[in-house]
Amino acid sequence: MYRQEMDDIASQPPDQNVLWVNSLSELPEVGSAVFNKLSSPACPSRFDVAFVIDSSVSVGPHNFIRNFSSSVIEKLYQISRNNKFAIITFNSEANVAFSLGRNSDLNGLKGAIAGVRYKPGGTNTALALRTAHGLLQNDYGARRSAQDVVILVTDEASNIDAQETLPAAKELKDAGTHVIAIGMDLDTAGRAAAQEVKDIASSDDRAMNNLNSYSALTGIESDVINQMCEFGRNGRK
């Protein structure tokens, strides 16, 4: 492909938006450059992010989503080292795998994610959301200057204290947290499950995703990050 054609395809100015490599083997080296473009003033660079990951018996260990959380965290870390992360897994109970600020470098984050374990049980989404709300308070490493984001991944409706799930989600959103809710094959779980996940999510239409399989998570990583940047700009709940 000729340079002029690439310049015409890319956003302007091309000297900032066209990257050249000599071979496919060099592509990994430009990954950071691509994601660093998101750290412009248009994308706030200070997020406190809590992943809330369903590990109930319906999920199964083969679907446990370390790769998704690891990939999104790595990309956000590349955007800015001012971003902090926590992971909560839940079944009948909620377990804080690691809290905000516990790991300050990428290798530490990757090691902590690799150590997250699948523990089957029921689906106590309300407790998981309230645990996330607690982590996003200043006493637990959260920062007043940061934008709070919760990323929930689940494959069914709550079956423990289900009546508390939507109030717990409302508490998060009322506190200014942007909630991205990702449902896995909710058509199989039933209409009630899809409605609950939709109601948990923030009002932005893109904040609720219903995917057909766990392998589809890789396809929404960029959208999740772009959503966060938009939330940071607009303060949307």
Side-chain angles (χ1 to χ4, degrees), residues 3 129 150 186 197 208:
R3 181 176 294 272
L129 293 174
V150 164
L186 295 179
V197 173
M208 189 273 187

Side-chain angles (χ1 to χ4, degrees), residues 215-234:
S215 61
L217 282 166
T218 56
I220 66 167
E221 290 174 3
S222 294
D223 183 62
V224 166
I225 293 169
N226 289 336
Q227 229 186 108
M228 290 174 58
C229 291
E230 185 175 346
F231 164 64
R233 289 193 298 268
N234 300 330

Side-chain angles (χ1 to χ4, degrees), residues 150-153 179-183 197-198 200-202 207-210:
V150 164
I151 301 173
L152 168 73
V153 183
V179 181
I180 299 172
I182 303 170
V197 173
K198 180 179 180 180
I200 288 171
S202 291
M208 189 273 187
N209 295 270
N210 185 8

Side-chain angles (χ1 to χ4, degrees), residues 147-169:
Q147 301 279 2
D148 294 340
V149 177
V150 164
I151 301 173
L152 168 73
V153 183
T154 187
D155 74 336
E156 65 177 356
S158 309
N159 54 36
I160 298 175
D161 291 335
Q163 74 281 359
E164 293 298 319
T165 299
L166 296 187

Side-chain angles (χ1 to χ4, degrees), residues 13-53:
D15 61 339
Q16 295 181 20
N17 294 300
V18 176
L19 302 173
W20 292 94
V21 295
N22 295 317
S23 67
L24 292 176
S25 63
E26 295 181 10
L27 282 175
E29 298 177 13
V30 302
S32 294
V34 171
F35 283 102
N36 284 341
K37 289 182 178 297
L38 293 175
S39 62
S40 68
C43 184
S45 59
R46 191 181 292 266
F47 291 101
D48 287 340
V49 187
F51 288 80
V52 180
I53 301 173

Side-chain angles (χ1 to χ4, degrees), residues 117 183 205:
R117 293 290 175 256
D205 289 340

Side-chain angles (χ1 to χ4, degrees), residues 44-129:
S45 59
R46 191 181 292 266
F47 291 101
D48 287 340
V49 187
F51 288 80
V52 180
I53 301 173
D54 187 350
S55 72
S56 62
V57 67
S58 61
V59 174
H62 61 290
N63 280 329
F64 202 50
I65 56 164
R66 295 187 198 90
N67 289 344
F68 170 72
S69 54
S70 180
S71 181
V72 172
I73 285 173
E74 181 171 356
K75 290 171 180 175
L76 288 168
Y77 184 88
Q78 289 171 344
I79 290 172
S80 173
R81 296 186 182 184
N82 285 325
N83 296 324
K84 289 187 177 183
F85 309 96
I87 288 185
I88 298 162
T89 62
F90 70 99
N91 41 55
S92 305
E93 304 292 335
N95 173 62
V96 179
F98 59 86
S99 56
L100 295 165
R102 176 179 157 192
N103 301 284
S104 58
D105 62 78
L106 187 57
N107 287 334
L109 285 165
K110 287 183 173 181
I113 294 166
V116 176
R117 293 290 175 256
Y118 168 72
K119 297 179 181 179
T123 306
N124 194 340
T125 311
L127 180 59
L129 293 174

